[in-house]
Amino acid sequence: PSSDCVVAEQLCLSDSTCNATYRTLENCALAKTRLLSLDHDSRVRCLNAELDLGNSSLLHCKCHRRMKRQEHCLRIFWTVHSSMTDGYFNLETSPYENPANEEHWKTDYNKLAALVSGKNRSQLAGDATNPCLKATHVCNLSKKCFRLRTDYASICTKGAGSEDVCDRRKCHRGLRNFFEKVPEDFTKRILFCPCQDEFCGERRRKTIVPDCSFQYNTKPNCLWLLDSCLEDHICKSRLADFQQNCQPVDMSPDGCSLHNHAACLQAYMGMIGTPMTPNYISNSSVDVSLWCTCENSGNQKEKCDQILGMFESNKCL
C-alpha cells in the first residue's frame, strides 16, 4: 500500500541494506539536479539502485498536497524516481496521493453563502450579475480565506505602479499557500466563477494578480519555462500531477483519459504559484495559457508546442 514518503524514508534509513541503496539514489538525483552527465556505468548503477528497492514502501510512497513537510516529501519521491525525469514528457506518475484517498476538507461554505444571500444582501447589491465578486465576498466572510487572500494580494501588488519589480517568488509562495490551505469550495469558486460580461471576466483574470505572478516584460520561450519548472521539486510535482490528471484523449467523449474533471481542475490549480503558472488570456473567454512563446525554438519547436498545447488546446482542461 502507498504510504507517506517521509515515513517510508525513516523506515528505509533504519535498515542497513535499504539505507545504502537510498544513499546511492540520493547521489544520482544530486547529479541530475546539477545537470551533470552520468557515464554509462553510473546510469546503470542508478537504475539498479531503483530496482533494488523492490517492494520497499519507498518505491510506492506518495505525498499529500496539504501536508506540512511537502517539499521534503517530494524530494524523497524524486530521489527514488529520478530515472523518470529523463526527457520532457516522462513525468508519467504524480507524486501526489489520489484526491479520492485524501481527507475530505469540510467547509462552512453553504452556511456562508446563506449569510451572503440573507442579511448581507443589501451590501452585496449587484453581485448577482458578477459571480466573481460574490465569490470574493463569500471568501471575505471566512477568516482563513480572507487572511490568505489578503496576504498574497498584498505581496503580489508590491511594486505595482512604480519602477520596483514585484517579488515573484514570494508572490508565488503566497498563491500556493492560498490554494493549498483554503478549502476548495472557496478557491474553485473564486478561480472558476462563470462570467457573462467583460467586467466579471477581468476580475476573474486578475484573481492571481497576473502583473506579478504571470507576466514578464517579455514572453520567455516555453522550453525555458519548463526547465525552470523541472529544477523545482514542487513545480515538477505539480506538472506531473497535471499531466496525469489532465491527459487529453481525442477518442474519449469527455476528452479526458481519467474521466475526472474535478481532479484535472485541482491539478490546474496546483500549477498556480509555480514557474509554470497559467492564467486566463482575456476578459471575454475561459481560454488559458502559459506566459511563453515558441518563437525561435529551432529544432525543438515541436516539443515547445507540446508544452504550450497542454494548456492552450487541452480538451480535458
Side-chain angles (χ1 to χ4, degrees), residues 26-226:
E26 278 189 317
N27 291 331
C28 298
L30 192 63
K32 288 204 170 196
T33 304
R34 292 176 179 170
L35 301 178
L36 302 174
S37 55
L38 299 172
D39 59 39
H40 177 71
D41 290 346
S42 298
R43 283 202 301 274
V44 170
R45 188 165 63 250
C46 291
L47 200 55
N48 284 340
E50 198 172 309
L51 294 171
D52 284 345
L53 284 178
N55 292 322
S56 161
S57 56
L58 258 180
L59 201 60
H60 307 288
C61 73
K62 294 278 187 177
C63 302
H64 299 278
R65 290 166 184 80
R66 296 172 183 254
M67 68 190 296
K68 284 184 179 177
R69 301 178 68 191
Q70 185 180 164
E71 285 192 57
H72 178 63
C73 185
L74 295 173
R75 181 186 62 75
I76 297 166
F77 179 89
W78 291 115
T79 295
V80 175
H81 298 284
S82 60
S83 66
M84 279 170 46
T85 60
D86 283 335
Y88 285 115
F89 293 98
N90 288 358
L91 302 177
E92 293 166 1
T93 304
S94 171
Y96 290 110
E97 188 71 78
N98 186 316
N101 299 338
E102 293 198 359
E103 178 188 352
H104 179 67
W105 290 74
K106 292 180 181 176
T107 74
D108 53 356
Y109 182 86
N110 290 333
K111 186 171 73 178
L112 291 173
L115 199 66
V116 169
S117 60
K119 64 182 180 182
N120 287 34
R121 184 178 291 154
S122 58
Q123 70 190 67
L124 299 179
D127 272 3
T129 57
N130 192 338
C132 292
L133 199 57
K134 184 168 184 176
T136 303
H137 281 306
V138 173
C139 170
N140 291 346
L141 290 169
S142 159
K143 286 181 183 176
K144 189 178 209 175
C145 191
F146 175 72
R147 176 172 56 81
L148 291 174
R149 185 174 165 272
T150 305
D151 282 354
Y152 85 71
S154 61
I155 296 166
C156 299
T157 49
K158 279 180 183 173
S162 68
E163 290 183 5
D164 297 334
V165 179
C166 75
D167 191 327
R168 181 172 278 111
R169 191 179 287 269
K170 279 188 178 177
C171 174
H172 280 168
R173 195 183 307 133
L175 279 165
R176 290 202 309 272
N177 229 10
F178 175 74
F179 285 108
E180 281 176 22
K181 293 184 177 177
V182 175
E184 283 182 18
D185 268 352
F186 296 95
T187 55
K188 278 187 176 176
R189 280 172 170 84
I190 285 177
L191 192 65
F192 305 124
C193 42
C195 288
Q196 302 295 324
D197 59 63
E198 292 203 10
F199 179 71
C200 176
E202 182 180 21
R203 189 174 187 92
R204 180 173 60 191
R205 186 177 59 81
K206 289 189 172 178
T207 296
I208 66 166
V209 195
D211 287 352
C212 184
S213 67
F214 179 64
Q215 293 168 215
Y216 294 78
N217 290 333
T218 56
K219 281 190 176 183
N221 187 282
C222 299
L223 294 167
W224 176 83
L225 217 59
L226 180 68

Side-chain angles (χ1 to χ4, degrees), residues 231-247:
E231 289 169 12
D232 177 281
H233 282 313
I234 285 187
C235 188
K236 179 164 64 174
S237 301
R238 302 295 172 83
L239 181 60
D241 195 50
F242 180 79
Q243 283 186 300
Q244 177 177 296
N245 289 298
C246 296
Q247 193 64 245

